[in-house]
């Protein structure tokens, strides 16, 4: 669909390493290679998360073909990945992010719109994708945010994207490891595109989550200073940040410390939802507005074939 050289000539899955330890990440990478030998795949690292640097190092050591980075400086990742022929896909939400990602060595951009699960920006995919395509015509662009079917794929391609990411859609499939109760909640007929919450009080950065009583409480108001400082100290231990930086930052760079604290403390709530399926007491589930398009829990291959057929039909209409 594009004259630009593609990252690979087929779709690929990206392993989300957020809740994984370095040992678990290595094991998962090796299992992927056992199940799909010689197939391209990726590993995602959210660099603000505790343990992300260790997971990135594992991905580099395993020479993973594609590394998707977000929320952090990735120049060291790109430098090492390029040594073995790997590619880096930088998640961005605006032009400035995109420019910095390319300067850091990213080979492609994931244009993440306001509709996306987790940390989408202020700009919708409808505007962000063609804007970045126009500014960076030689860079492969992956659309993200609001895409869950073939109609969305066709629309993104017509905007100039080279492909799309469908995180929420593929999370709600039979093979996905997402807890069954979370899948049921997202695909519930009563849920619509409006049943999400977008705010920064949950993990310190504006993020979109499934609307539940738990997530409403988590986003209701900022945490008080003593609690944030306590969480920052715990997060610093996880991330191996010197204590003096935390205490000094609390006085001079409060916004950064707040983000560190909230992000670190959000891990338990994310695990409670995605792994334990607890959406009633402790868990908070990331989900995009595309949940309004998700009404079933299909097998992966059936979903992919349906998306392809629907995209072809939609493309004819375009």
């Amino acid at each position: 669909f594009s004259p630009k050289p593609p990252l690979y000539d087929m779709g690929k899955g990206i392993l989300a390493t957020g809740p994984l330890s370095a040992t678990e990440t290595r094991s998962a990478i090796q299992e992927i290679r056992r199940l799909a030998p010689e197939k391209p795949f990726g590993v995602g690292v959210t660099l603000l998360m505790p343990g992300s640097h260790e997971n990135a190092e594992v991905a580099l050591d395993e020479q993973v073909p594609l590394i998707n980075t977000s929320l952090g400086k990735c120049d060291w990742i790109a430098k090492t990945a390029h040594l073995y022929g790997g590619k880096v896909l930088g998640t961005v939400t605006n032009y400035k992010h995109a420019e910095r990602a390319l300067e850091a060595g990213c080979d492609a951009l994931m244009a993440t719109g306001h509709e996306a699960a987790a940390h989408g920006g202020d700009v919708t995919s409808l505007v962000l994708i063609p804007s970045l395509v126009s500014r960076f015509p030689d860079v492969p662009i992956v659309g993200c945010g609001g895409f869950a079917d073939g109609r969305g794929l066709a629309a993104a391609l017509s905007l100039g994207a080279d492909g799309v990411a469908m995180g929420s859609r593929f999370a709600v499939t039979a093979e996905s490891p997402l807890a069954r109760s979370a899948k049921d909640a997202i695909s519930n007929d009563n849920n619509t595109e409006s049943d999400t919450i977008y705010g920064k009080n949950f993990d310190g950065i504006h993020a979109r989550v499934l609307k539940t009583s738990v997530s409403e409480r988590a986003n209701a108001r900022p945490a008080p200073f003593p609690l944030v400082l306590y969480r920052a100290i715990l997060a610093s231990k996880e991330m191996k940040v010197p204590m003096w930086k935390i205490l000094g930052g609390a006085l001079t760079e409060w916004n950064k410390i707040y983000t560190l604290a909230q992000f670190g403390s959000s891990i338990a709530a994310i695990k409670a939802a995605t792994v334990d399926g607890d959406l009633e007491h402790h868990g908070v589930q990331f989900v995009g507005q595309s949940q309004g398009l998700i009404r079933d829990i299909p097998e992966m291959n059936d979903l992919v074939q349906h998306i392809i057929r629907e995209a072809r039909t939609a493309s004819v209409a375009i």
Side-chain angles (χ1 to χ4, degrees):
F1 294 98
S2 170
K4 290 177 284 188
L7 289 178
Y8 299 101
D9 59 359
M10 63 184 75
K12 67 195 69 59
I14 295 179
L15 171 68
T17 63
L20 304 182
S21 67
T23 299
E24 290 169 332
T25 295
R26 191 180 299 276
S27 177
I29 290 171
Q30 293 172 352
E31 178 67 3
I32 290 170
R33 285 190 163 131
R34 185 188 70 80
L35 293 171
E38 306 303 321
K39 298 291 185 180
F41 68 98
V43 163
V45 286
T46 303
L47 295 171
L48 194 59
M49 270 188 162
S52 61
H53 282 65
E54 290 81 359
N55 284 333
E57 288 171 351
V58 167
L60 293 169
D61 184 58
E62 291 286 337
Q63 298 193 358
V64 171
L66 178 68
I67 300 180
N68 175 210
T69 66
S70 62
L71 297 178
K73 295 181 179 180
C74 65
D75 50 348
W76 61 280
I77 294 175
K79 182 179 180 180
T80 303
H82 291 160
L83 291 177
Y84 63 79
K87 304 291 185 181
V88 178
L89 173 65
T91 298
V92 301
T93 61
N94 56 49
Y95 165 71
K96 289 184 178 179
H97 288 174
E99 192 172 43
R100 287 198 293 266
L102 295 174
E103 289 173 353
C106 287
D107 302 282
L109 301 172
M110 183 178 287
T112 306
H114 183 64
E115 307 93 328
H119 306 102
D122 297 327
V123 185
T124 64
S125 297
L126 186 64
V127 173
L128 182 62
I129 291 172
S131 174
L132 295 185
V133 168
S134 295
R135 290 179 179 273
F136 307 106
D138 298 322
V139 177
I141 304 288
V142 177
C144 176
F147 304 109
D149 57 24
R151 294 170 299 178
L153 171 58
L157 294 175
S158 72
L159 293 173
D162 299 278
V164 295
M166 296 185 179
S168 296
R169 173 65 276 192
F170 281 99
V172 186
T173 54
E175 295 90 340
S176 165
L178 181 67
R180 177 66 194 220
S181 59
K183 295 180 187 179
D184 289 339
I186 294 170
S187 60
N188 188 319
D189 282 338
N190 293 324
N191 272 345
T192 72
E193 62 281 354
S194 298
D195 292 308
T196 67
I197 299 174
Y198 184 74
K200 69 174 184 178
N201 289 334
F202 169 55
D203 68 1
I205 302 175
H206 279 93
R208 190 175 301 283
V209 300
L210 179 67
K211 187 176 183 179
T212 64
S213 59
V214 178
S215 64
E216 285 181 314
R217 289 196 300 271
N219 276 287
R221 63 183 61 87
F225 177 87
L227 179 58
V228 171
L229 186 59
Y230 172 70
R231 288 174 173 174
I233 292 172
L234 294 180
S236 72
K237 292 179 180 179
E238 288 283 337
M239 301 174 73
K240 299 179 181 178
V241 176
M243 189 65 65
W244 65 266
K245 287 189 176 182
I246 297 298
L247 297 177
L251 299 175
T252 61
E253 296 182 291
W254 172 246
N255 287 339
K256 290 184 179 180
I257 294 301
Y258 174 80
T259 299
L260 170 67
Q262 294 299 91
F263 214 94
S265 66
S266 70
I267 304 302
I270 295 170
K271 284 185 177 180
T274 60
V275 178
D276 303 329
D278 177 9
L279 297 175
E280 296 183 1
H281 302 99
H282 304 291
V284 176
Q285 176 67 49
F286 288 134
V287 72
Q289 290 180 322
S290 62
Q291 78 162 356
L293 303 171
I294 300 172
R295 300 273 69 88
D296 57 358
I297 308 176
E299 292 188 356
M300 192 79 70
N301 185 63
D302 291 341
L303 174 61
V304 170
Q305 299 309 317
H306 177 74
I307 289 171
I308 292 173
R309 289 194 300 270
E310 192 174 46
R312 286 173 173 162
T313 300
S315 296
V316 172
I318 293 173

